Amino acid sequence: MRKTPEIPSASMADIAFMLLIFFLVATTMDVDSGLERVLPQMPPEVQEDTPPIKERNVFSVLLDQYDRLMVEGEIIRVEDLRAKAKEFMTNPRNLETLPETKATEIPLIGNFEVTKGVISLRNDHGTQYGTYISVQNELVAAVNELRDEFASAKFGKTYANCTNEQREAIREAIPSRISEAEPKMVGGKK
Amino acid sequence: MSKFRKSNAKETPAVSTASLPDIVFMLLFFFMVTTTMREVTLKVRTTLPSATELSKLEKKSLVSYIYVGPPQKQYTKMFGTEPRIQLNDVFAKVSDIPDFILAERAARDEAEIPFMVTSLKVDEFTKMQIVGEIKTELRKAAALHINYSSRKPIAKN
């Protein structure tokens, strides 16, 4: 018995491959990611008097136009910033120079000494954006690391694996207070 | 006897390639759906800074982009080499940002407006002055949720 000849479909794969390769090349798998931050609201015209923040509760980070980093009055490297920020936020030895804590009742955790520390970041007009981002990154990393450590101590899992309620509790226990001051000329003229 | 003997019993049958196009088409559709074509032509060069604590931008449709960087080669004659702002497809001034944000808002559903994010794609070597001005404008326009676009660092040994 004679078979009717079929249309060869072998080349179909080649055609599809060609299209596939075209799309592979032409499109960019752009996973957009970055440092997420929330800007402060514009201050109202008439400013109310806010109680001044104590010197010990402020962690001042300055960046000058030559990308030098000054933290609490000393020039340090970006690599050392994370450890410094963590020490500031936890105040492990209850030093007088590091921020006070305030006992707060937090659901799921109970009574916890929440730090009153605020990180204040100020940059110069001439600071390079890359340096600024690396400093921001270190500060965010410090907070994230503290939250992770806290989560594994309290709940036995990483912060990312916690439930929403647990995360909220952790966020309350370890707040991320990074304020950005208006840029000012920090040292030297332009 | 010979009637029931299979002919060519020793030869292994060829693997059917009939399903190959289907498999390839599946891949093709996957790539067509997942990848996004670039919407704007970049007129500025942006080498993003690297950072480790990245969070992904979840809803692409709610993101508006602001590009800052030195103009591409073909534009340097007209616009110089200093970092400039690009909104949509055109070079812009800092004062254009509130209008841009308003236009972006008008293009979205009212319910989605609180979840809008502004992604700043800024070149690594830009000075902070221009970024600071943009941030002030964004604050004035009450577009407070921003994302400093950055890339993963290349692993060091």
Side-chain angles (χ1 to χ4, degrees), chain A residues 32 35-36 127 129 180, chain B residues 65 121 126 128 135 145 148:
Chain A
D32 260 319
L35 286 178
E36 212 168 327
T127 309
Y129 179 71
E180 284 178 64
Chain B
Y65 296 94
K121 288 186 179 261
T126 314
M128 277 307 287
K135 269 158 60 181
H145 201 157
Y148 296 112

Side-chain angles (χ1 to χ4, degrees), chain B residues 123-135:
Chain B
D123 187 78
E124 231 177 323
F125 299 107
T126 314
K127 299 285 180 209
M128 277 307 287
Q129 179 165 21
I130 197 164
V131 183
E133 284 166 9
I134 291 170
K135 269 158 60 181

